[in-house]
Amino acid sequence: MNNWLMFFLIAFLLIIACGGTTTAPSAQKVVATRTTNSNQISQPAPAQPPGQESRPEDKYACVINPDGYCIFLGIPHGAGLKPNTDHIVDGDEVFLFSMNEAVAVNSAGEILQARGTPAFNGDELARHLEDGMTDDEKAFHRVMAIMFPIRNALMYEIGEVSHTEWDELVSELKMRGIKDKTFTDGATPKDNYYGRKDIFEVAKNPKGKDIHHDVMKFLEEAGLYFLCHVTSDNFGQMLQDTHPEGHDPCEDAKITEKIPF
């Protein structure tokens, strides 16, 4: 048989055996890049945000360190919004990028869905333009950028944070009257809550106690009440509909007048 004819016959049989087509590689899922201590942050396209219900459950605890502070297990957020600016900075206050190109991402680098779920260990800020986002989504990411440093201060860095620095961190909460009051006469500890000033004092002097419940309640409620102020009524309704205990956080916040960004 002619060599060329034999070659084409073998090639034809191979194509039939493989189904007649070649399979293209699956598209790679590219996610937003987490922040690092560098001014050079890449900006790949974001992944579709997953549902918040897919996020792992955090089991919080804090341990009394040699200086007497109750320090949480976990890792501080690597960046946050510097008070009274639009600058996203790292822990050394080195400028990384602007707030209008910042989004909150989870530990896998996936952009967080705008909901009432509180920050988790591993959440960070990443550089990605907010083009195409709704006003509620932009407000959500700004709230997260403000809450990350507050979370760091209470959970990990309380020994280094001064009263003046704390007042700057919570200035957006103070402006809106969020967590102004403390109540400690509840029938059970679960009924108690601390305001901005008192939670800082408790964290500064935990008196050898595990204060993780008090700190986490402050952070979760402050974040929800903050969202109620800066998002639409429809977003507030979603916060109520998805609250794990059926609460209406915007009603609990006792807002008389919304103060948006």
Side-chain angles (χ1 to χ4, degrees):
M1 182 180 293
N2 183 283
N3 288 340
W4 282 107
L5 181 59
M6 179 66 72
F7 172 79
F8 284 117
L9 179 60
I10 293 173
F12 177 73
L13 292 174
L14 286 173
I15 291 173
I16 293 175
C18 294
T21 60
T22 57
T23 303
S26 58
Q28 184 177 5
K29 186 178 182 182
V30 182
V31 297
T33 303
R34 296 176 66 188
T35 56
T36 61
N37 290 334
S38 169
N39 290 328
Q40 302 299 319
I41 308 293
S42 61
Q43 186 179 329
Q48 280 295 107
Q52 301 296 80
E53 64 276 1
S54 66
R55 302 180 71 185
E57 180 183 0
D58 267 332
K59 297 185 182 298
Y60 292 104
C62 64
V63 178
I64 302 297
N65 73 0
D67 295 321
Y69 302 116
C70 202
I71 304 301
F72 281 68
L73 306 177
I75 302 173
H77 304 288
L81 182 62
K82 185 176 181 179
N84 305 311
T85 76
D86 279 330
H87 297 170
I88 300 299
V89 297
D90 65 14
D92 296 321
E93 296 201 358
V94 175
F95 175 79
L96 299 175
F97 42 86
S98 297
M99 183 62 234
N100 62 5
E101 51 182 358
V103 294
V105 299
N106 63 18
S107 58
E110 298 165 323
I111 297 176
L112 297 183
Q113 188 176 1
R115 297 179 71 84
T117 308
F120 275 62
N121 187 35
D123 289 350
E124 290 289 356
L125 294 174
R127 188 177 188 180
H128 173 71
L129 293 178
E130 295 181 344
D131 294 349
M133 288 189 181
T134 66
D135 289 342
D136 283 343
E137 289 171 333
K138 292 176 182 178
F140 165 81
H141 290 292
R142 191 178 187 95
V143 166
M144 296 295 276
I146 292 170
M147 292 302 298
F148 281 179
I150 296 174
R151 195 171 185 268
N152 281 353
L154 290 177
M155 296 175 67
Y156 308 110
E157 301 165 356
I158 189 63
E160 292 79 44
V161 179
S162 69
H163 283 79
T164 300
E165 290 169 332
W166 174 250
D167 288 342
E168 290 179 351
L169 290 176
V170 297
S171 59
E172 292 276 3
L173 303 182
K174 180 180 180 181
M175 178 193 308
R176 295 168 175 84
I178 297 171
K179 303 302 284 184
D180 275 344
K181 299 178 181 179
T182 293
F183 176 77
T184 57
D185 293 328
T188 68
K190 186 178 180 180
D191 299 318
N192 298 332
Y193 55 84
Y194 288 92
R196 296 185 310 272
K197 178 179 180 296
D198 290 328
I199 194 63
F200 183 73
E201 298 300 335
V202 167
K204 275 291 189 183
N205 184 18
K207 300 179 180 179
K209 298 178 182 178
D210 180 349
I211 59 169
H212 84 273
H213 174 77
D214 298 320
V215 169
M216 296 314 301
K217 185 168 187 176
F218 173 87
L219 292 171
E220 291 171 11
E221 291 182 347
L224 282 171
Y225 299 168
F226 201 171
L227 285 171
C228 289
H229 265 282
V230 299
T231 57
S232 66
D233 291 342
N234 286 339
F235 193 91
Q237 183 63 52
M238 180 274 294
L239 293 178
Q240 178 183 358
D241 293 342
T242 58
H243 194 281
E245 297 179 2
H247 293 177
D248 181 353
C250 298
E251 177 68 23
D252 295 341
K254 296 179 171 56
I255 297 173
T256 56
E257 181 181 358
K258 285 188 174 185
I259 302 178
F261 287 125

